[in-house]
Amino acid sequence: MSAVMRPLPRAMLIDMDDTILSAYGRPEIAWNTIANEFAEELAPLPPAQVATAVLAFARNFWANAEAAWRMKLAEARHLTVKGGFAALAAAGHRALPDDLAIRLADRFTAYREEEMFVFPGAHEAIDRLKALGIKLALVTNGAADMQRAKVERFELAHRFHHIQIEGEHGFGKPEERAYLHAMEALGVTAKDTWMIGDNLEWEVVTPQRLGIYAIWMDVHGDGLPEGSTVKPDRIIRSLTELVPDQP
């Protein structure tokens, strides 16, 4: 989607995971990597088959999960790996033990932490937008300790006028008050605000309903999911695309 030249807003609400940080994208690659590390213990099941079963269970779980599970990510992963193992056993494959499920899930969690990084140019783009006088809020879902640790680790705190973590505030996207609270903290209204993030429901559908200009982050260039009825106001692959060209 070509970007129509639009004046910069007074404020931006920016998501963190898979918008500023490479965090949870491409789970199929991560699950395959971890399953391969456990290949001997999974035998005779091929690691790829185990990864596929776990990923399928996890996607279904998260599609229907209550928001409270976002506060218990490690526990949710224990559950999803056990679920994937159970699906394999139900299909007539070897029954894999729960202790292996827990170790595999915990290794996945550690691997995700190890592999996280700031997308190239993201810090610089945020700093430039702030220097241009735009009010910035970081609006992220997830547990307080885990998300706050990322804010510190990746040097984000000083870059934003307002940091809003679901676990610290007691509410998160796509609850309308998550966006309303962030705008109130910045002293702006919906017509003055852009929302930027990778989740179509959280960063496009609800913000648009509130009158916010919604920008979808498609970092891998995959395009909208087939059959999607969501229409972002703009699609970008990097925060650097929001920064106006220097005169």
Side-chain angles (χ1 to χ4, degrees), residues 35-36 38-47 50 93-97 100:
N36 277 310
F38 286 81
E40 286 185 21
E41 291 187 76
L42 296 172
L45 280 164
V50 175
H93 298 288
R94 177 192 162 200
L96 297 164
L100 177 56

Side-chain angles (χ1 to χ4, degrees), residues 25-34 55 108 111-112:
R26 297 289 161 98
E28 64 283 355
I29 295 173
W31 281 119
N32 273 288
T33 300
I34 300 311
L55 182 61
F108 181 86
Y111 174 82
R112 285 302 217 182

Side-chain angles (χ1 to χ4, degrees), residues 6-217:
R6 184 183 179 95
L8 287 168
R10 287 185 58 208
M12 292 184 188
L13 314 182
I14 305 178
D15 172 52
M16 179 166 67
D17 295 321
D18 299 305
T19 298
I20 298 170
L21 309 178
S22 175
Y24 304 121
R26 297 289 161 98
E28 64 283 355
I29 295 173
W31 281 119
N32 273 288
T33 300
I34 300 311
N36 277 310
E37 289 184 12
F38 286 81
E40 286 185 21
E41 291 187 76
L42 296 172
L45 280 164
Q49 187 175 4
V50 175
T52 298
V54 169
L55 182 61
F57 190 94
R59 282 192 164 136
N60 186 60
F61 173 83
W62 286 112
N64 301 288
E66 294 178 2
W69 280 108
R70 295 199 293 265
M71 305 299 117
K72 303 181 288 187
L73 206 50
E75 192 180 326
R77 287 190 180 135
H78 290 170
L79 193 151
T80 56
V81 177
K82 287 178 183 177
F85 282 10
L88 288 166
H93 298 288
R94 177 192 162 200
L96 297 164
D98 280 355
D99 78 288
L100 177 56
I102 289 168
R103 285 187 291 116
L104 196 147
D106 288 347
R107 174 66 190 120
F108 181 86
T109 295
Y111 174 82
R112 285 302 217 182
E113 291 292 322
E114 292 162 12
E115 295 294 309
M116 266 181 211
F117 62 88
V118 177
F119 285 128
H123 275 164
E124 295 79 5
I126 293 164
D127 292 347
R128 177 81 181 120
L129 292 167
K130 189 178 183 184
L132 289 169
I134 296 168
K135 296 286 188 187
L136 301 176
L138 181 73
V139 183
T140 180
N141 282 356
D145 54 353
M146 179 184 288
Q147 298 303 80
R148 180 57 67 174
K150 289 183 208 168
V151 168
E152 300 305 326
R153 174 182 169 191
F154 296 108
E155 302 178 344
L156 298 175
H158 72 279
R159 295 188 145 90
F160 289 87
H161 302 93
H162 175 65
I163 303 277
Q164 189 170 303
I165 297 171
E166 181 181 22
E168 292 179 354
H169 284 73
F171 52 82
K173 301 171 290 189
E175 293 177 71
E176 290 189 357
R177 63 176 169 161
Y179 315 90
L180 297 173
H181 184 272
M183 290 189 291
E184 186 181 358
L186 297 180
V188 296
T189 59
K191 66 177 172 52
D192 302 318
T193 305
W194 291 3
M195 176 83 226
I196 302 101
D198 69 300
N199 185 302
L200 287 169
E201 180 67 33
W202 300 351
E203 276 98 36
V204 179
V205 175
T206 309
Q208 283 180 337
R209 192 166 65 237
L210 294 171
I212 297 168
Y213 185 80
I215 300 174
W216 183 52
M217 173 69 77

